[in-house]
Amino acid sequence: MELIDGKATAKTIKAEIAAEVEQMVKDGHKRPHLAAILVGHDGGSETYVASKVKACEECGFQSTLIRFEDTVTEQELLDAVHKLNDDTDVDGFIVQLPLPSHIDEQKIIEAVDPEKDVDGFHPVNVGKLSIGLPGFVSATPAGIVELLRRYNIPTRGKHCVVIGRSNIVGKPMAMLMLRKGQPGDCTVTVCHSGTGNLKEITRTADILVAALGKPGFVTADMVKPGATVIDVGTTRVPDATKKSGFRLSGDVDFENVAPLCEFITPVPGGVGPMTIASLMMNTIQAARKRKR
Ligand code: L34
């Protein structure tokens, strides 16, 4: 069993980006600039956005954090999005999800200029991914593919099973593994709450991606020996022994599944840090497009 070290890989990627940024700046290019909109005070969102701001520093990017209380109206949020669309200094921006229930998330996502949509959530970028055109790819699945690439995990002809059909992880993950090339060329199955014979299917997975947000859901009896298991879950579970009062739990019963695996990602330190590194890759991709 080999552990896939997402934290170390993310660090390497950020250092590669920082080197490219220094060269860009030397060549007279503007420093890449990422903006983030954060609504409310959800603990997870606060942590993730703080990590994104810190990653910008590590990469030599300029960053702007725009905060709203969870009483913000949809119109105020749309106005903020339009302002960032029009701000020629900003290369890319994200609106951290989830948003409060009185706001239509899809409406916000569709208001973002696809050219600045470094989250890859806009239908234009989702559509480009699905027909193999270049565009921005959702950071979590892009980060997983980058791990498979950097760990030289063979994918051609393999059966990749994705558990979860979310727009931001499950569906784009399936599209990426379906693409021609390495990583890619997989036979892909997407499982979800309506799947009847889940265990029978997951047991045939060479690459199993768990992205459903249920702590410990994937148990040893669901995994084929020698499989590569990617754990996307980061659920906060109450834990009185922890200073924070919680611990992070993945979707995989790591203790019992890990011994069976060829490769496995831990939680924390697996997919999470790669989500952030991918966002940085998308941002420098956006910045490269401008002339100066
Ligand atoms: N708009 N909303 C938008 N873009 C995104 O790409 C996200 N996502 C998801 C939630 N909402 C979003 C994130 O940023 C999930 N996500 C994310 C980002 C980072 C980490 C986890 C999820 C992460 O860094 N996880 C660390 C542990 C962090 C902790 O201590 O809580 C890890 O090692 O897994």
Side-chain angles (χ1 to χ4, degrees), residues 56-249:
C56 282
E57 280 167 34
E58 293 169 329
C59 293
F61 295 174
Q62 191 185 336
S63 69
T64 301
L65 175 57
I66 300 164
R67 302 198 61 138
F68 290 98
E69 290 304 319
D70 52 21
T71 50
V72 69
T73 66
E74 192 172 272
Q75 193 53 51
E76 284 170 320
L77 216 46
L78 286 170
D79 290 344
V81 167
H82 293 140
K83 220 169 132 188
L84 289 171
N85 285 342
D86 294 340
D87 185 340
T88 53
D89 199 72
V90 171
D91 296 291
F93 67 98
I94 65 158
V95 183
Q96 187 71 20
L97 304 181
L99 294 172
S101 55
H102 66 276
I103 291 167
D104 181 347
E105 268 180 14
Q106 197 55 32
K107 205 165 162 185
I108 304 297
I109 288 169
E110 291 184 28
V112 176
D113 178 351
E115 300 280 322
K116 293 191 175 189
D117 171 38
V118 285
D119 257 335
F121 294 171
H122 191 284
V124 164
N125 285 313
V126 177
K128 284 181 172 177
L129 171 63
S130 78
I131 59 171
L133 293 176
F136 295 113
V137 178
S138 177
T140 300
I144 294 168
V145 166
E146 196 59 28
L147 284 176
L148 296 173
R149 187 195 327 277
R150 291 185 184 236
Y151 276 80
N152 292 314
I153 295 170
T155 58
R156 184 176 170 79
K158 304 291 184 192
H159 187 201
C160 176
V161 175
V162 180
I163 311 176
R165 54 177 153 181
S166 71
N167 289 341
I168 79 171
V169 186
K171 279 187 239 172
M173 187 71 219
M175 299 305 310
L176 287 168
M177 299 308 279
L178 202 53
R179 288 195 304 193
K180 286 191 174 159
Q182 164 70 31
D185 287 328
C186 283
T187 303
V188 179
T189 304
V190 183
C191 299
H192 48 79
S193 52
T195 302
N197 49 342
L198 181 68
K199 199 206 291 187
E200 274 167 51
I201 297 170
T202 60
R203 280 195 65 88
T204 67
D206 302 301
I207 299 166
L208 181 60
V209 181
L212 69 161
K214 289 201 172 150
F217 182 87
V218 174
T219 47
D221 58 327
M222 295 168 72
V223 177
K224 175 164 86 172
T228 290
V229 173
I230 307 292
D231 190 349
V232 183
T234 48
T235 307
R236 292 182 163 199
V237 177
D239 185 341
T241 69
K242 291 280 187 316
K243 200 168 62 195
S244 59
F246 67 86
R247 70 189 146 78
L248 280 188
S249 174

